Amino acid sequence: MSSTAPALNASSPFKLALIQLAIGADKAKNLAHAKSKILEAAHNGANVVVLPECFNSPYGTNFFPEYAESIDGGDSVTMLSSAAKEAGIYLVGGSIPERKQDKIYNTLTAYDPTGKMIGVHQKVHLFDIDVPGKIKFKESEILTQGNSLTHLDTKYGKLGVGICYDMRFPEMATVAARKGCVAMIYPGAFNMTTGPLHWELLQRARAVDNQMYVAACSPARDINASYHAWGHSTVVDPTGTVVATCEENETIVYATVDPAQVEVIRTNIPLYNQRRFDIYDDVSESVAFDGQGNGTKK
Ligand SMILES: *[C@@H]1O[C@H](CO)[C@@H](O)[C@H](O)[C@H]1NC(C)=O
Ligand SMILES: *[C@@H]1O[C@H](CO)[C@@H](O)[C@H](O)[C@H]1NC(C)=O
Ligand SMILES: CC(=O)N[C@H]1CO[C@H](CO)[C@@H](O)[C@@H]1O
């Protein structure tokens, strides 16, 4: 039993910009600064702009309750919508701590060039790790996990989104690829321990397994903050090659995402015709998507 490569419904290349934003303790300043960088990226020709994880707040469970907002009319969401509109770009608005009733989520929102919200993703896999002597972090002490996958419908094709630790779970990217997404985009803030070890490797792995683009957008490193982000915002192409990256300071990383490159690699190395769903299951078959791009288990 074989399968065929998913239709991408995307023909034109687009310019992707990852804003490796310098984030401080002043939320209003973070919002104003993010907006100016979004406009800068658009000015430089970007069509899809990405902000990092937790862009309105320093990263840390102790900060989340103070910086958390409603995504229904909150300051961060209001800024993101107006920045997308003013810049005339698609915006993957990093993530913010979202307050909803008595719970806090790590939530990504995305917008089209008119400022309309086109997707909401609550981080599905919470970051709970303990590498003795190196790093201990338990998001689940404060955060609640989301329960659905999210695909954004854009005029450049479908984009799958995840947040940081979500990158470690190959099923999410595989579902996105098989449902026709041209790229997976992950705002994320890896640490100085996990960054050098896995940040680039995971992106290349997700890209080569799924023959799709993968991009991850980190905050700039702030040596004065309690959490030292690895930085190195990166774009990987569908062959698994790093096509754009940077170091730790604030910058904008640009890359062209070309659906034709996805088709080329899927033709040259035709994994899609060679999968053996007679001996293992197609993980994407177990997820059903609604009209808003939210996927849950059938
Ligand atoms: C870090 O703190 C030092 C000492 O207070 C200060 O001089 C420096 O500008 C700070 N750096 C950043 C990136 O905020
Ligand atoms: C990042 O910025 C700091 C402070 O300005 C500087 O000392 C350092 O060399 C920069 N790092 C790189 C890789 O440019
Ligand atoms: C929040 C946290 O656990 N930060 C750690 C990241 O890793 C460095 C070591 O590289 C630790 O010093 C930090 O405590």
Side-chain angles (χ1 to χ4, degrees):
M1 189 167 107
S2 72
S3 62
T4 51
L8 294 175
N9 295 322
S11 49
S12 75
F14 65 89
K15 189 166 174 181
L16 178 67
L18 309 180
I19 299 177
Q20 184 160 293
L21 191 72
I23 297 163
D26 183 332
K27 194 207 269 185
K29 260 194 197 159
N30 291 337
L31 297 187
H33 186 49
K35 183 165 187 179
S36 77
K37 299 306 275 184
I38 292 165
L39 293 171
E40 178 186 330
H43 181 75
N44 290 332
N47 308 110
V48 178
V49 178
V50 182
L51 288 174
E53 181 177 23
C54 215
F55 80 93
N56 72 357
S57 150
Y59 185 71
T61 49
N62 51 321
F63 298 107
F64 296 154
E66 184 190 337
Y67 288 77
E69 289 179 14
S70 168
I71 64 159
D72 197 8
D75 290 348
S76 301
V77 167
T78 302
M79 180 284 287
L80 292 170
S81 167
S82 80
K85 186 175 177 186
E86 194 174 328
I89 46 89
Y90 285 95
L91 178 62
V92 179
S95 76
I96 61 166
E98 175 198 359
R99 187 181 300 285
K100 194 172 189 182
Q101 281 122 27
D102 58 344
K103 296 196 167 77
I104 300 176
Y105 300 84
N106 188 342
T107 302
L108 173 155
T109 57
Y111 306 82
D112 74 8
T114 70
K116 180 174 158 245
M117 195 184 282
I118 56 167
V120 176
H121 177 72
Q122 294 172 324
K123 190 177 195 174
V124 167
H125 304 94
L126 295 181
F127 179 47
D128 282 353
I129 71 165
D130 189 358
V131 181
K134 293 270 190 189
I135 170 168
K136 186 166 191 287
F137 201 96
K138 217 162 184 284
E139 276 190 330
S140 66
E141 283 170 353
I142 299 289
L143 298 179
T144 302
Q145 63 191 8
N147 293 316
S148 59
L149 303 183
T150 309
H151 296 168
L152 309 174
D153 231 327
T154 79
K155 74 171 193 183
Y156 304 108
K158 279 201 289 181
L159 307 175
V161 292
I163 301 174
C164 198
Y165 203 55
D166 283 339
M167 201 192 302
R168 290 190 182 271
F169 297 85
E171 290 85 353
M172 251 178 103
T174 298
V175 170
R178 295 203 58 81
K179 297 287 186 187
C181 293
V182 65
M184 268 310 285
I185 296 178
Y186 300 98
F190 273 38
N191 186 273
M192 297 292 284
T193 307
T194 55
L197 198 59
H198 289 150
W199 174 254
E200 183 183 304
L201 175 62
L202 285 167
Q203 288 166 68
R204 296 187 65 199
R206 299 296 82 89
V208 79
D209 275 354
N210 298 296
Q211 300 179 307
M212 72 196 308
Y213 283 88
V214 173
C217 182
S218 170
R221 190 176 309 154
D222 176 357
I223 50 159
N224 293 338
S226 58
Y227 189 91
H228 295 167
W230 173 235
H232 293 80
S233 297
T234 295
V235 182
V236 179
D237 80 6
T239 70
T241 305
V242 172
V243 288
T245 189
C246 63
E247 298 198 50
E248 71 273 23
N249 290 336
E250 181 169 90
T251 187
I252 305 179
V253 172
Y254 297 95
T256 299
V257 172
D258 185 356
Q261 292 307 312
V262 177
E263 307 280 15
V264 166
I265 188 73
R266 287 180 183 176
T267 303
N268 294 352
I269 307 179
L271 304 180
Y272 278 94
N273 310 330
Q274 298 165 345
R275 290 218 158 82
R276 292 290 306 276
F277 294 137
D278 55 334
I279 40 179
Y280 46 78
D281 285 337
D282 176 358
V283 65
S284 73
E285 280 295 304
S286 63
V287 187
F289 280 79
D290 66 14
Q292 272 72 53
N294 302 309
T296 47
K297 197 149 194 299
K298 276 180 187 168

